[in-house]
Amino acid sequence: MGRFDGEGSFTREDFNRVLLAFEKQFGKPLPVSAQGETAVHRALGFDHRDRVDVGISPDTAEGLWLRHYLESGDIPYYAFRNSVKGKATGAHIHMGPPSNRLLKTD
Ligand SMILES: [Zn+2]
């Protein structure tokens, strides 16, 4: 898994900028797989509000472009190359701060 912390913030304006830039670059919409809180994330116990998952493998041309774009914009992201048990459902790029557990175990 690759991660980049940037400034630690991911705003709606950041998201809109990424959407437009991706579409301009590749001529198709950004393949968003989860925007904000979803039933899956809730079931896994993760806070996914103000976070977005994109169904792009981090090492494809699109994934490399997106990671570079996020880094140059100081936007935090996590690059998942494989499924992580209990955390991710497949290769994707998570934009925004990490998903903290909704329920504290301590
Ligand atoms: Zn995510």
Side-chain angles (χ1 to χ4, degrees):
M1 190 182 81
R3 69 179 278 181
F4 173 73
D5 290 326
E7 284 185 336
S9 73
F10 177 58
T11 65
R12 182 152 287 275
E13 288 71 44
D14 291 329
F15 180 45
N16 286 335
R17 242 183 303 134
V18 174
L19 282 178
L20 288 172
F22 184 92
E23 198 155 340
K24 194 174 163 199
Q25 180 74 16
F26 294 104
K28 61 180 183 182
L30 186 73
V32 173
S33 56
Q35 184 177 351
E37 188 73 299
T38 68
V40 173
H41 288 97
R42 235 186 341 265
L44 291 172
F46 286 110
D47 180 2
H48 206 263
R49 287 168 293 181
D50 302 318
R51 295 148 171 89
V52 175
D53 290 342
V54 181
I56 290 177
S57 195
D59 296 317
T60 60
E62 292 171 4
L64 290 169
W65 177 90
L66 181 59
R67 284 156 58 202
H68 177 77
Y69 186 87
L70 295 172
E71 284 172 22
S72 61
D74 239 1
I75 299 168
Y77 72 82
Y78 283 73
F80 293 93
R81 291 184 169 81
N82 298 295
S83 298
V84 179
K85 199 168 185 296
K87 185 140 195 181
T89 49
H92 73 279
I93 294 174
H94 166 105
M95 302 192 287
S99 287
N100 299 315
R101 289 272 182 189
L102 285 168
L103 301 170
K104 289 192 170 160
T105 50
D106 56 354

